[in-house]
Amino acid sequence: NVCIFAYGQTGSGKTHTMEGGTTAESRGMIPRAVQQVFETAASMAESGWDYKFNASFIEIYNEQIRDLLGSGCASIKHTVKQPRGASDVIISDLTIVEVEGQDKVHDLLSRAAASRAVAATEMNERSSRSHSLFRLKISGTNAATGETREAMLNLVDLAGSERLSMSGAKGDRLKETQAINKSLSALGNVIMSLANKGGHVPFRDSKLTMVLKNSLGGNSKTLMFVNVSPREDSVGETINSLRFATKVNNCEIGTARKQLKSSD
């Protein structure tokens, strides 16, 4: 399992890092990662491997999960569970789309972007007010050897950390900011617990860490981009982001292993 996410204050370029622009040169991490996955799957066909890909796209807004590929019905409540013995974290009533190529993924990105919660603050005129997670489940079978493989790729655009004194958040924006900062704090606590190799890791403290549970610990790989703002008045947030990055860089979550099963 792999998790790649962008962290930093609001307005520092996280969404552009993950999603990119409209030209090939300005593509972000999501389209680039998906391209590599499909190219690698195609090259492994010569060895007898056949892969299937199922994608979903969610946002976590005010600690509630929204299905960015769904109908947009606000009455649907999505829960997060991991049944005993199961390898995957399950999100209820989630739209899952089978994808057969990169173009389909690009269509899903455009569809999801149109549904994501954004609003203007004094620090960012188009601030993401939620965490967005593109999830690609990869399932492979080898007819010659009888082996199967499964993995989950999580590509995450975190909502930006904000200081209330600078963002000027009020009303709904204030509630959003408080939820964002609380979940980012929970993510920091999980990473610190993993780094300290504590017995209890507080994954259940936020929806974000619950969803990412299997991609933050154990046999997984995690990569974090740290985005910083060039603004002089953002130096305090820049220092905080770099301190957090140092903690993450010093965190060893274990050894990544292939999820490989044989027919026996």
Side-chain angles (χ1 to χ4, degrees):
N1 295 328
V2 173
C3 179
I4 302 175
F5 62 95
Y7 177 92
Q9 75 178 94
T10 185
S12 58
K14 297 180 301 301
T15 299
H16 185 75
T17 296
M18 297 306 296
E19 298 183 11
T22 57
T23 64
E25 293 77 12
S26 63
R27 289 176 306 155
M29 274 304 303
I30 295 178
R32 289 176 187 270
V34 167
Q35 177 183 356
Q36 182 173 340
V37 166
F38 276 101
E39 289 178 351
T40 302
S43 69
M44 294 183 69
E46 298 178 359
S47 303
W49 284 98
D50 177 52
Y51 285 93
K52 294 187 181 299
F53 305 92
N54 289 285
S56 58
F57 211 141
I58 67 171
E59 71 172 352
I60 300 176
Y61 174 78
N62 284 350
E63 278 300 292
Q64 298 297 317
I65 293 176
R66 291 179 174 181
D67 185 354
L68 294 179
L69 302 180
S71 63
C73 179
S75 63
I76 298 177
K77 302 298 182 184
H78 302 281
T79 59
V80 183
K81 296 180 180 179
Q82 184 172 10
R84 181 170 297 180
S87 59
D88 290 341
V89 173
I90 307 298
I91 302 174
S92 66
D93 300 312
L94 185 64
T95 301
I96 298 175
V97 180
E98 184 173 352
V99 292
E100 298 179 348
Q102 300 174 48
D103 291 342
K104 180 64 174 179
V105 173
H106 296 159
D107 291 342
L108 296 180
L109 290 178
S110 298
R111 182 172 156 191
S115 303
R116 193 173 176 194
V118 296
T121 70
E122 291 182 9
M123 296 181 67
N124 186 359
E125 65 179 12
R126 187 171 171 79
S127 173
S128 300
R129 312 309 293 165
S130 65
H131 309 301
S132 74
L133 293 84
F134 174 78
R135 310 172 80 228
L136 187 68
K137 184 172 182 178
I138 305 167
S139 305
T141 57
N142 191 313
T145 64
E147 295 173 313
T148 62
R149 290 176 177 172
E150 281 193 352
M152 180 71 76
L153 174 62
N154 285 287
L155 300 169
V156 187
D157 175 16
L158 295 173
S161 59
E162 297 181 16
R163 290 192 179 186
L164 293 174
S165 59
M166 294 185 65
S167 67
K170 299 177 181 178
D172 288 343
R173 302 293 84 80
L174 174 61
K175 182 179 179 182
E176 293 163 355
T177 299
Q178 291 170 333
I180 290 168
N181 290 343
K182 181 180 179 181
S183 61
L184 291 176
S185 177
L187 175 62
N189 291 339
V190 163
I191 290 174
M192 286 303 298
S193 181
L194 290 169
N196 295 331
K197 302 187 184 301
H200 171 67
V201 181
F203 287 112
R204 299 185 65 84
D205 284 359
S206 79
K207 289 285 178 36
L208 174 67
T209 50
M210 287 175 67
V211 172
L212 294 178
K213 178 181 178 181
N214 288 355
S215 295
L216 288 177
N219 58 340
S220 59
K221 288 187 176 182
T222 303
L223 171 68
M224 184 181 80
F225 287 94
V226 182
N227 293 67
V228 296
S229 171
R231 290 174 44 164
E232 186 175 351
D233 60 0
S234 297
V235 65
E237 284 297 307
T238 295
I239 291 173
N240 287 337
S241 295
L242 294 176
R243 284 174 176 164
F244 183 72
T246 301
K247 294 177 183 178
V248 172
N249 195 47
N250 292 331
C251 178
E252 296 182 5
I253 59 177
T255 302
R257 298 187 301 272
K258 293 179 181 178
Q259 302 293 315
L260 188 63
K261 299 178 182 178
S262 66
S263 58
D264 297 335

